[in-house]
Amino acid sequence: DGGITQSPKYLFRKEGQNVTLSCEQNLNHDAMYWYRQDPGQGLRLIYYSQIVNDFQKGDIAEGYSVSREKKESFPLTVTSAQKNPTAFYLCASTRGTGELFFGEGSRLTVL
Amino acid sequence: GESVGLHLPTLSVQEGDNSIINCAYSNSASDYFIWYKQESGKGPQFIIDIRSNMDKRQGQRVTVLLNKTVKHLSLQIAATQPGDSAVYFCAENMEAGNNRKLIWGLGTSLAVNP
């Protein structure tokens, strides 16, 4: 079945470490997105990519980095520069018509 | 400014009753609106959408109403079931330069009592 796969589902990180969250889709969607979700808040856009080898910063890009070398893959790296990285991270993709398809999320906890 | 907000952060209903979740938006340039359902620990799932040239759209047990005059969006769930318990988000989609931008509300938690 087509869909979006995020991994790992749970991740623990020590302060000062970089971690990379994986996002893979087999929906043949051009656009992919990374959102951060904190308790009691809506989704906040970190980065998005509308086409391979191109990506743009969202509203809260500081401390994060991405790459888009393949259409199917849009990994997110949470760097040590991100001061408050503990959150639920959601990856999504779209054909471009509006509806976003989401993965199941990755919960990152900084120890 | 741009904002999408919800009138009620939590809603508790009895099983079998109808639920109404409200959403206010402030950007008149938004031309597309979406409702998502998010169960605990999972990613949001698309429920229903509506374009600004419509004022009502129906799906299976759900209806979305759009009132552009007062910038208000609502999601009606008929015969609410325990499986409907989740957080519901509205989102508005608008042109932002050469791109389209999706602005999310804070979410409403729906609890269905058996």
Side-chain angles (χ1 to χ4, degrees):
Chain A
D1 288 349
I4 300 178
T5 302
Q6 289 186 240
S7 64
K9 189 170 178 65
Y10 299 97
L11 185 61
F12 298 89
R13 186 192 97 173
K14 293 180 180 179
E15 285 193 23
Q17 286 182 334
N18 294 353
V19 292
T20 297
L21 308 180
S22 170
C23 178
E24 303 279 333
Q25 55 100 357
N26 59 3
L27 299 166
N28 200 32
H29 287 169
D30 286 316
M32 297 186 73
Y33 302 78
W34 274 106
Y35 286 93
R36 170 179 172 141
Q37 187 174 33
D38 294 284
Q41 297 192 34
L43 277 64
R44 292 186 290 169
L45 183 63
I46 304 172
Y47 267 99
Y48 64 101
S49 168
Q50 294 185 308
I51 197 168
V52 174
N53 293 322
D54 186 49
F55 49 83
Q56 287 82 39
K57 292 182 179 180
D59 300 319
I60 56 165
E62 185 175 353
Y64 300 97
S65 66
V66 293
S67 63
R68 188 83 188 278
E69 298 176 1
K70 299 187 298 181
K71 187 176 186 178
E72 303 79 18
S73 179
F74 191 39
L76 173 74
T77 297
V78 185
T79 75
S80 57
Q82 170 51 238
K83 298 307 178 188
N84 185 22
T86 294
F88 190 51
Y89 291 89
L90 288 160
C91 180
S93 71
T94 180
R95 289 189 302 266
T97 57
E99 178 187 348
L100 289 174
F101 293 81
F102 284 88
E104 291 293 275
S106 294
R107 187 168 298 280
L108 173 63
T109 302
V110 173
L111 303 174
Chain B
E2 303 167 354
S3 70
V4 177
L6 294 168
H7 294 305
L8 296 172
T10 60
L11 179 64
S12 184
V13 300
Q14 291 298 122
E15 182 178 357
D17 287 351
N18 296 335
S19 302
I20 300 176
I21 300 172
N22 296 303
C23 180
Y25 67 96
S26 62
N27 198 315
S28 58
S30 295
D31 57 6
Y32 178 63
F33 304 86
I34 317 172
W35 280 100
Y36 283 88
K37 171 187 179 182
Q38 186 178 24
E39 297 177 9
S40 181
K42 296 186 177 181
Q45 292 178 295
F46 172 86
I47 303 173
I48 193 167
D49 58 3
I50 188 167
R51 300 204 175 273
S52 59
N53 60 353
M54 304 171 67
D55 53 19
K56 180 179 180 179
R57 191 167 187 214
Q58 289 185 295
Q60 186 176 10
R61 282 201 307 121
V62 295
T63 301
V64 56
L65 298 178
L66 175 62
N67 186 330
K68 294 182 289 293
T69 302
V70 295
K71 297 191 184 74
H72 185 268
L73 189 70
S74 69
L75 177 70
Q76 300 179 0
I77 304 174
T80 312
Q81 302 168 0
D84 294 327
S85 294
V87 176
Y88 290 81
F89 292 95
C90 66
E92 59 179 310
N93 200 333
M94 56 172 282
E95 292 284 347
N98 293 325
N99 300 311
R100 296 196 65 82
K101 185 175 182 179
L102 198 61
I103 303 170
W104 293 81
L106 297 178
T108 291
S109 178
L110 176 64
V112 181
N113 303 313

